[in-house]
């Protein structure tokens, strides 16, 4: 059973960089895309971006200028960096596995439990 | 961006009721539509992918339908554990989610 676990600081100061890591247990990070999604308190879901184990990335256009997602296959983990954060970036951040196949649309089938990141001085 | 809308935004229902939630895309997305269930304080859970394919382990009372721009999620007989918020998501282009439909107790 694949499990994902997010880790990182729960508090980030405005203008600084938010950094999170997602470790994958119970399966290899290879052969899949891996994604970050966030959810501001009381609000809906926003896709941040995803990365293939090979390193290719795709980002939400609205966040693209501030986001970097990277992968470390040797540690079976991937990471998120979001720079120049403001209070609007306060959210629960989830990592997820992106499943797809021949003629099968992308879908997010395994999720981490989420980690709350608050942006405040 | 492809915009997703859902209706209703919330509904009240009783155990045993048949519940239908509608999701509409701002342009055709073929069958690139997924449905998720989220309970308070928990991560979303995949229910349906590719518009109508039931994710492994999900009860058969959940059914997805539609293609193009209009989609539905139907729960044939609502169970106590189904009270939650439901989100649609398109992955035809940069993924976007609908605003959610909250299903609560009548």
């Amino acid at each position: 059973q694949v499990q994902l676990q997010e880790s990182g600081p729960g508090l980030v100061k405005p203008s600084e960089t938010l950094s999170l890591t997602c470790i994958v247990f119970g399966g290899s990070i290879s052969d899949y895309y891996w994604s970050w999604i966030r959810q501001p308190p009381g609000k809906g879901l926003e896709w941040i971006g995803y990365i293939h184990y090979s390193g290719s990335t795709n980002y939400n256009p609205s966040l693209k200028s501030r986001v970097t997602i990277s992968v470390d296959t040797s540690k079976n983990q991937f990471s998120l960096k979001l720079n120049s954060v403001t209070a609007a970036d306060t959210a629960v951040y989830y990592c997820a596995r992106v499943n797809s196949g021949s003629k099968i649309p992308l879908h997010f089938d395994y999720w981490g439990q989420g980690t709350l990141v608050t942006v405040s001085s | 961006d492809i915009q997703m809308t859902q209706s209703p935004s919330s509904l009240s229902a009783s155990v045993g009721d048949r519940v239908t939630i509608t999701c509409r895309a701002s342009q055709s997305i073929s069958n690139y539509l997924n449905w998720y269930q989220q309970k308070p304080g928990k991560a979303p859970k995949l229910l349906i992918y590719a518009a109508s394919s039931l994710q492994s382990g999900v009860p058969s009372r959940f059914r997805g339908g539609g293609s193009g721009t209009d989609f539905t999620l139907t729960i044939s007989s609502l169970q106590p554990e189904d009270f939650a918020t439901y989100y649609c998501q398109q992955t035809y282009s940069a993924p976007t989610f609908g605003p959610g439909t909250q299903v609560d107790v009548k």
Side-chain angles (χ1 to χ4, degrees), chain A residues 17-98:
Chain A
T17 297
L18 178 161
S19 297
L20 296 173
T21 295
C22 180
I23 302 176
V24 179
F25 298 100
S28 174
I29 203 165
S30 299
D31 296 328
Y32 287 97
Y33 286 85
W34 302 88
S35 187
W36 289 96
I37 304 101
R38 69 181 183 178
Q39 184 172 36
K43 297 187 177 180
L45 299 161
E46 179 180 35
W47 172 71
I48 298 171
Y50 56 68
I51 188 166
H52 190 246
Y53 74 98
S54 64
S56 64
T57 54
N58 191 357
Y59 298 133
N60 185 325
S62 69
L63 297 169
K64 187 174 183 177
S65 63
R66 298 194 292 131
V67 171
T68 301
I69 299 176
S70 58
V71 65
D72 187 338
T73 55
S74 68
K75 295 181 179 179
N76 227 39
Q77 66 185 41
F78 60 107
S79 299
L80 168 70
K81 290 189 186 297
L82 179 66
N83 58 38
S84 305
V85 297
T86 69
D89 295 310
T90 293
V92 175
Y93 285 76
Y94 295 101
C95 58
R97 190 179 81 170
V98 185

